[in-house]
Amino acid sequence: MELSLLSPHNDGLRPDPGVKSQDVLRLLKANDPSIDHVRITFCFSKSLTFSESDDAFFRDVGEAIASPDLTKLKSLQFNFSGSPSKDEKNDHFFMRFLETMSANRSIEAFEIKYANLNDISECIPRMGLFFEKNEKLKSFDLNLARGASESDIESLFSALKSRSCPIEKIGLNRIGHRGIEQLLTLFNNDPGVTPKRIFMSWNWVEEGRGCRDVSRLLSNQNIDLEEVNLTDEQIDSDGFQRIANALACRKQPLNSLVLRRNHSIGGNRGFGGSEGIIRFAQAFASNPDTIPNNLCISGNGIGPVGLQDLSNVLVRRSFPLESLELYANKIHTETANGFLSPFRQRPGLIPKILNLSYNPIDDLDVSSLLREENCSLSSINLFPNEIRRDTVNAIARSVGTNKTVREILFDIREFPWEGWWALGNALCNQTNIPATFTSNHTLTRFGCEKD
C-alpha cells in the first residue's frame, strides 16, 4: 500500500480536500504492516513562514517511519515543489525529518526529488547517518535544484564509503558538472564504493571534464558496473566516441547503457546526432560483443546517416542485443529499412526488443524477418505511426509460424478488415488439426500502444 502525505499547510492541494495530513499521519503511526511506499510532498512558497506545527508534523512523520513495526516499508520519496523563502526554518524541518527517520532499517529505495533548499550542505551529513545505519538500502536518488558544493560531495562520498557494502544504484540529478567530476573521480580512485548502476541527468557533464570522467569510470576494469544512464546531458559526438571507446575496452559488456536526449545548452535536441552514432559504431568495429546488451540512444536526432553503421556492427555480434531503443529520433522509412537489411541474412542477431516509436516511419518490411525460423525478434514498437495497409496485412500473415514475437505495436485506428482476417488465421489456423497446433501461440499484443 502507498501513502501520500502533504505538509499541513498544503492540505488544500490534495485531490480530496476532505483528507487531512494528520489523518494520513495517524494511519502511518498505526504501523500498518501493508505500507510499502511513502511519498511526502512539501510545496514551498516565497511568502510562507514555516510554523512550529509543520516542524512537529515532519518530526512525527520521521519517527513513524523509523518504527521497527513498518517492516514492509521499502520505498520512501520526498518531493519538493516551488521556491522557498529565505527563512532558514524551511531547511530545518527537513533536517529534523532526516534525523528522526534515520533509525529505519527496512527502506531499500530513498529518493529526494528537487531539493530546493536554501542550504543542502547541512542535510547531506544527516543522510550519511541513514546510509551508514541502514544496510538494506539499495538505491538512492538525489535531485538538487541548486547544485552541490565540494564539501557536499565529500560528505556524500564519505557517507557512501561508511557502509559495509556499496549501494546498488545512485541517481545524481542537477548536481552540477563540477560536482559530478568530483564524485566520479572519487569513485575511480575507490572502486569498492562505486554503485553498479549510475543514473545522471541535467548535470551538463560535457560542460567540464565530466564526459572524460564518465569514460574513465567505464574503462576501469576494477569497477563492477552494470548500468549507466546519461539523460539530458550535454554530450556531443566527441563525447559519444569517448564513451564508446571506453566500453569497447571492457572485458565484460555493460548490461545497460542509456544515452537519452543529449542536447546543447540552447536546447537543440540531437547534439550527438548522426555524427555521434557513426563514431559510436566505429568504436565497436573490432569487438562488437562489448556493446551493452541493452542499448538506448533516443532523442538524439539520429537521421539518415549513421544508423546503417550501427546495424553493420550489430550483425557481427556472437549473440543479439536484449533491447535496442531508438525512439524519438529522425529515422524515416527508408533509413529504418536500411537498418534492417543486414539482419535479413542473419535474423538470429536482430535485437530481441526493437523500439522505433515516435519516428516518421510508415512502411517497414519486417514481415520477411518474422518468417525466418531463427528470428530473435520478440517485440517491435512503431507506435504511434500509421503503418500502410498492405504492410500491416503482410505482418499479420507472417506471424503464423513465428515462435518468438510477443508484440508488434503501431497505430491500430485504421487496421484493415483483411488484416484482422489474416491475424486470426495466423493465431488459430482452422484448416486442419496440425495447422491449428502449429499456429502462433506467443503473440500477446498487436497494433496497440504498450502500457
Side-chain angles (χ1 to χ4, degrees), residues 3-14:
L3 279 186
S4 181
L5 294 99
L6 285 169
S7 56
H9 72 273
N10 296 146
D11 271 336
L13 300 176
R14 283 187 172 280

Side-chain angles (χ1 to χ4, degrees), residues 36 56 74 92 123 126 148 156 178 258 262 333 382 398 440:
D36 57 7
K74 303 299 182 185
H92 292 168
C123 297
R126 288 166 174 79
L156 178 60
R178 290 186 178 87
V258 176
N262 289 287
T333 297
L382 301 171
S398 68
N440 184 296

Side-chain angles (χ1 to χ4, degrees), residues 14 19 25 35 88 90 94 97 102-103 145-146 150 154 194 196 213-214 256 286 346 381 389 404 425 431 443:
R14 283 187 172 280
V19 179
L25 176 57
I35 297 173
E88 292 183 357
N90 289 342
F94 188 56
F97 169 77
S102 62
R146 303 187 179 188
E150 183 175 339
E154 289 176 354
T194 308
K196 292 183 177 181
D213 291 327
V214 171
S256 175
S286 60
R346 303 192 69 185
N381 190 342
R389 293 169 64 97
T404 59
N425 193 56
T431 304
L443 188 68

Side-chain angles (χ1 to χ4, degrees), residues 189-413:
N189 294 336
D190 200 336
V193 183
T194 308
K196 292 183 177 181
R197 303 166 61 210
I198 298 177
F199 287 58
M200 297 191 296
S201 65
W202 291 103
N203 297 295
W204 306 111
V205 297
E206 193 57 27
E207 193 170 306
R209 303 190 329 269
C211 203
R212 286 184 286 274
D213 291 327
V214 171
S215 301
R216 283 184 56 212
L217 194 74
L218 292 172
S219 60
N220 192 331
Q221 302 292 342
N222 295 317
I223 297 178
D224 186 21
L225 278 176
E226 293 181 357
E227 182 175 5
V228 173
N229 185 315
L230 301 171
T231 296
D232 289 307
E233 300 286 7
Q234 188 188 349
I235 301 176
D236 60 9
S237 54
D238 290 336
F240 269 62
Q241 184 172 11
R242 279 196 294 268
I243 289 171
N245 287 339
L247 290 170
C249 296
R250 293 182 61 84
K251 295 178 182 178
Q252 294 293 330
L254 283 185
N255 181 56
S256 175
L257 174 68
V258 176
L259 299 171
R260 182 187 293 120
R261 293 193 309 269
N262 289 287
H263 50 78
S264 66
I265 293 178
N268 296 317
R269 302 276 172 115
F271 200 40
S274 294
E275 179 64 25
I277 196 66
I278 291 172
R279 296 191 188 186
F280 187 88
Q282 289 173 345
F284 293 103
S286 60
N287 193 3
D289 283 348
T290 56
I291 297 176
N293 293 324
N294 295 275
L295 180 62
C296 174
I297 308 179
S298 62
N300 290 288
I302 299 171
V305 182
L307 203 57
Q308 187 77 54
D309 297 69
L310 181 61
S311 61
N312 286 336
V313 172
L314 293 178
V315 82
R316 294 193 294 105
R317 285 170 55 89
S318 303
F319 49 92
L321 290 183
E322 289 296 319
S323 66
L324 176 62
E325 300 194 45
L326 298 167
Y327 60 85
N329 281 294
K330 299 177 181 178
I331 301 170
H332 292 264
T333 297
E334 184 178 354
T335 305
N337 281 311
F339 171 79
L340 291 181
S341 181
F343 296 107
R344 303 192 193 287
Q345 301 299 319
R346 303 192 69 185
L349 288 176
I350 189 169
K352 295 180 181 180
I353 299 174
L354 180 59
N355 189 341
L356 293 169
S357 61
Y358 293 94
N359 283 289
I361 299 171
D362 63 3
D363 182 19
L364 191 63
D365 184 15
V366 70
S367 57
S368 58
L369 280 169
L370 293 173
R371 290 192 186 95
E372 295 292 334
E373 184 177 354
N374 64 336
C375 177
S376 54
L377 187 67
S378 67
S379 173
I380 183 165
N381 190 342
L382 301 171
F383 194 88
N385 300 322
E386 294 185 37
I387 306 302
R388 286 168 38 183
R389 293 169 64 97
D390 54 343
T391 301
V392 172
N393 291 339
I395 293 175
R397 289 191 296 269
S398 68
V399 300
T401 57
N402 185 285
K403 305 301 181 185
T404 59
V405 67
R406 294 182 293 103
E407 52 187 16
I408 302 172
L409 309 180
F410 58 92
D411 193 331
I412 200 173
R413 285 177 294 181

